[in-house]
Amino acid sequence: MSVIVVGLNQRSVPLELLERMTVSAARLPKALADLSGRDHLDEVVVLSTCMRTEIYAVAAKYHGAVQDVRNFLTELAFVAPEEISDVIYSFHDDAAVEHLFRVAAGLDSAVVGESEILGQVRDAAARAHAEGVAGTQLTTLFRHAVEVGKRARSETGIARGTTSVSQAAVEMAAQRLGTLSGKRILVVGAGEMGGGVAQALAGSDGVEEVLVANRTWSTAAALAARVGGSAVALGALPAALENADVLLTVTGAPSIVVEADDLAPVMAARPDRPLLVVDVAVPRDVDPAVGQLPGVTLLDMDDLRAFAEAGLASRRGEITSVEAIIGEELDRWAGAASARHVAPVVTALREHGESVRSAELERFRSRLAGLDAKQRDAVEALTRGIVNKLLHEPTVRVKRDGGTPKGDRLAEALRALFDL
């Protein structure tokens, strides 16, 4: 059985296509059930964030499994297979493991070293396990990936500076305006990303006011209280925008939250006051046509990626150190995986020897009926000793070479020779 990953991310596809491939939290149970029911997929984990949608699976047949995932993605986004055939990527076995380790370490993110992905990797595995579609192999792999991510951040400087999408969004807004001092900023979305944005704003010098809007009023009010801001009802957005300098949107909504037709009258009422709109949600919260309104500047995930890449220089030197950690962890994973592969063979071999021994004693039970208890114990010990001595050398060798190609060959030979 192989581990595979099939997916697309912010570098491989345009934002318009990526947002159509996003699997929201609400859709995740159905998506996991759909994937696990496909012919060639065994265990399944879906990792879908604002930067990527990736399907990890355990499969017996690589090409069949890849096709199953491709079919799922085309059905998810209502696109023809040829639309994604050149932009989708897939890896299997060692390459798939390395890809996941790089993702968890933050090397595959738009904001290199960003911290949010680590929790997203952990949560993806937990959700799949809760839905009963991630078994031992993927659960163990994702747990190891989280360990890799923690090592990368604790042993290197990859997490130095701007290391979250939320923080990058705030810094991009500040760069575009020159400063956020004296600005009134409206944050739409009070989930994990919204909380990160609000906290980053609260830590910015001179921000006049932070307003928080969310579909659930209590959630908006709680976040606003935490950052010393004010809550706004989602239905009161137009009124709140009349006096805002920046609109930052980070909801998990499946469709547009801010339409151009709704914002047009707001901008008409404030003709001499520009508005910066930063939409870092995937799918997008803001109608792209908003960027054409007079006085509005619209920035999205594509702009954020360019902003993050420009600020990468300070952490570029840490990438080599992180890659060294990933190399070490790949070796450790390979050794542990091979050991897990060998252990059942050793157990099966020992059980096979014991079953043969027990069957032979049973066959000769009538001939041994005249033995007293001490003599029966001696026969028992003698036969156990013979089996143990016969199996000792094969057991030692296959364990000693576990984690190597030779160990794999020995394990397969034992399976074949003893029909395990």
Side-chain angles (χ1 to χ4, degrees), residues 91-218:
F91 307 104
H92 67 97
D93 292 332
D94 292 347
V97 174
E98 181 178 4
H99 177 77
L100 177 58
F101 285 2
R102 291 181 67 85
V103 168
L107 294 188
D108 199 55
S109 299
V111 181
V112 172
E114 58 112 343
S115 55
E116 291 156 338
I117 187 61
L118 196 55
Q120 291 164 342
V121 168
R122 182 190 300 109
D123 292 345
R127 287 295 302 273
H129 182 74
E131 295 293 330
V133 298
T136 301
Q137 195 164 344
L138 283 186
T139 299
T140 303
L141 173 59
F142 271 70
R143 188 181 299 121
H144 196 140
V146 171
E147 293 175 9
V148 174
K150 289 179 178 179
R151 275 197 68 190
R153 290 165 178 81
S154 65
E155 297 179 21
T156 77
I158 197 69
R160 187 185 302 122
T162 303
T163 55
S164 75
V165 172
S166 304
Q167 187 180 358
V170 171
E171 292 188 6
M172 180 172 66
Q175 183 190 74
R176 180 57 63 103
L177 295 178
T179 180
L180 293 181
S181 180
K183 306 299 183 184
R184 302 181 78 250
I185 302 172
L186 173 57
V187 178
V188 180
E192 182 180 354
M193 286 274 287
V197 166
Q199 292 286 359
L201 288 169
S204 299
D205 293 334
V207 171
E208 181 178 330
E209 185 177 15
V210 176
L211 305 172
V212 180
N214 191 64
R215 182 178 57 184
T216 305
W217 169 260
S218 59

Side-chain angles (χ1 to χ4, degrees), residues 186-189 213 234 237-238 241 247-251 253 255-267 275 277-279 281 283-291 293 296 298:
L186 173 57
V187 178
V188 180
L234 203 58
L237 274 183
L241 282 169
L247 169 63
L248 258 161
T249 66
V250 286
T251 81
S255 58
I256 295 297
V257 175
V258 179
E259 298 280 359
D261 290 344
D262 296 329
L263 191 57
V266 172
M267 296 309 298
L275 176 67
V277 179
V278 180
D279 180 6
R284 284 176 289 197
D285 286 331
V286 179
D287 180 356
V290 162
L293 295 176
V296 176
L298 174 61

Side-chain angles (χ1 to χ4, degrees), residues 75-94:
E75 294 162 14
L76 176 71
F78 299 102
V79 298
E82 54 269 21
E83 288 189 49
I84 66 170
S85 59
D86 293 333
V87 296
I88 206 167
Y89 51 79
S90 61
F91 307 104
H92 67 97
D93 292 332
D94 292 347

Side-chain angles (χ1 to χ4, degrees), residues 386-408:
I386 291 172
V387 170
N388 286 336
K389 285 183 181 297
L390 284 173
L391 300 184
H392 174 73
E393 192 62 26
T395 299
V396 168
R397 289 199 177 191
V398 75
K399 284 185 174 181
R400 181 188 62 200
D401 293 321
T404 68
K406 181 180 179 181
D408 292 339

